[in-house]
């Protein structure tokens, strides 16, 4: 699995369905549900990732307002090797179970607050 950390969301856990502990950077291999946890291990949020644009001409259809190009999706990974060559765009839909504005990536001690 791959991990990253974002303000308001926590530690993201991504899973490549074809490998045990690494990413192939093939979009169709990515588990489309990404879970996010606080530093204390409690569940914070999840998001769905789709390589098919879900936003429509007249609205976002409850997805995030705009699709993400690969460079922005790769911002969710702490890995310079991130490069999904089999897609160029992603739609995401987030569900928060805590106050996402209250959680910051790093406090003075480097932990999620």
């Amino acid at each position: 699995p791959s991990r990253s950390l974002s303000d308001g969301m926590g530690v993201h856990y991504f899973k490549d369905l074809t490998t045990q502990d690494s990413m192939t950077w093939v979009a169709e291999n990515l588990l489309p549900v990404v879970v996010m946890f606080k530093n204390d291990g409690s569940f914070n949020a999840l998001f769905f990732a789709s390589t098919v644009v879900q936003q429509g001409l007249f609205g976002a259809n409850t997805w995030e307002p705009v699709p993400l190009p690969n460079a922005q999706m790769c911002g969710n990974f702490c890995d310079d090797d991130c490069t999904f060559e089999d897609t160029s765009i992603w739609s995401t839909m987030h569900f928060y179970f805590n106050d996402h504005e209250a959680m910051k990536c790093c406090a003075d001690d480097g932990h999620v607050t």
Side-chain angles (χ1 to χ4, degrees):
S2 181
R3 304 177 350 158
S4 72
L5 185 61
S6 296
D7 269 351
M9 297 181 205
V11 180
H12 292 52
Y13 286 88
F14 297 88
K15 173 68 178 144
D16 189 304
L17 296 170
T18 64
T19 65
Q20 192 71 309
D21 60 358
S22 62
M23 298 295 293
T24 59
W25 306 116
V26 175
E28 69 180 28
N29 295 345
L30 185 68
L31 182 69
V33 179
V34 179
V35 293
M36 295 169 269
F37 294 88
K38 292 181 176 183
N39 195 49
D40 66 5
S42 62
F43 183 66
N44 189 53
L46 64 84
F47 79 82
F48 295 101
S50 172
T51 58
V52 176
V53 173
Q54 301 296 321
Q55 295 82 352
L57 192 56
F58 301 106
N61 299 320
T62 70
W63 290 74
E64 304 306 322
V66 295
L68 302 175
N70 273 343
Q72 286 184 297
M73 183 64 170
C74 284
N76 286 307
F77 295 84
C78 294
D79 194 328
D80 291 336
D81 291 333
C82 181
T83 167
F84 290 99
E85 295 183 15
D86 59 329
T87 191
S88 61
I89 199 105
W90 297 82
S91 288
T92 60
M93 179 189 297
H94 291 73
F95 293 91
Y96 300 96
F97 300 97
N98 296 289
D99 181 3
H100 69 279
E101 293 181 7
M103 194 176 81
K104 300 296 179 200
C105 283
C106 296
D108 292 338
D109 64 359
H111 290 90
V112 174
T113 58

